[in-house]
Amino acid sequence: MANVEWSNGIDSVSGALSKPSKKGQHSCIKMLLGTHRTAATSSNQCNRLYLRKKIKRSTPPTVNELFIRQRFAAVRAAVKARQEDMTKIDTDIAAFNAQKDTAGGCTTMKAYLWKVCMTDYDEQHPRP
C-alpha cells in the first residue's frame, strides 16, 4: 500500500489501472489498483495504490481467524442495527459527545458505535 499524489487536476482515481491478461505473449498475473477512500475518516490521505496478484492459500484458516471473521460480521451487523434503532439514538449521541474530547475517545460516531458494539460482543463471546 502506498500513499498517492496524482498529477495536477486529478484529485482521485478509483478502479483498476491495469488488469491481468491471460492472452498473448506479455500476459501478467498482477493488477494495479487505485482506490479513493470515501468512508468517514480523520486522515486526509485518501488515495491508495495497490499491486495485487493472485495467490492461493497454502493452509486452511485457523480457529482464531474464523473467530475474528465471525466477530467482524456480528459487530458490523450490530453497528448497522444500532444506527437504525430510533430508541438508542439520543443516548448514543449524548454518550458520544461526552467521550469524544477525552483522551482515547472516538472522534466519529461510527467509530464510537464500533467500539461499543465490539465491547458488548467481546463480553458475551470470549476468545477461543
Side-chain angles (χ1 to χ4, degrees):
M1 177 176 63
N3 291 323
V4 179
E5 189 172 316
W6 302 106
S7 173
N8 287 340
I10 300 174
D11 293 330
S12 66
V13 174
S14 289
L17 301 172
S18 70
K19 293 183 178 182
S21 171
K22 294 182 182 179
K23 298 178 184 175
Q25 161 183 355
H26 299 288
S27 63
C28 64
I29 59 170
K30 295 180 182 173
M31 176 195 297
L32 188 61
L33 183 66
T35 63
H36 179 75
R37 176 189 285 228
T38 57
T41 180
S42 55
S43 172
N44 64 350
Q45 297 182 352
C46 300
N47 294 316
R48 298 279 191 256
L49 192 63
Y50 300 92
L51 184 62
R52 295 180 54 191
K53 67 178 189 175
K54 285 188 174 185
I55 58 168
K56 285 194 174 187
R57 187 177 180 127
S58 61
T59 59
T62 64
V63 172
N64 190 42
E65 286 177 284
L66 295 173
F67 174 79
I68 290 170
R69 289 179 189 178
Q70 181 181 5
R71 176 183 182 226
F72 180 84
V75 172
R76 180 184 60 195
V79 167
K80 186 175 187 311
R82 191 159 180 151
Q83 283 177 323
E84 297 169 357
D85 187 357
M86 300 303 262
T87 61
K88 294 183 180 179
I89 287 179
D90 290 335
T91 56
D92 283 342
I93 290 173
F96 167 71
N97 287 331
Q99 63 83 47
K100 75 176 179 179
D101 294 328
T102 62
C106 299
T107 57
T108 65
M109 184 68 171
K110 187 168 274 196
Y112 172 74
L113 292 177
W114 270 88
K115 183 178 179 181
V116 168
C117 292
M118 198 170 295
T119 302
D120 291 345
Y121 184 87
D122 289 344
E123 288 174 358
Q124 297 170 5
H125 303 88
R127 282 186 173 253

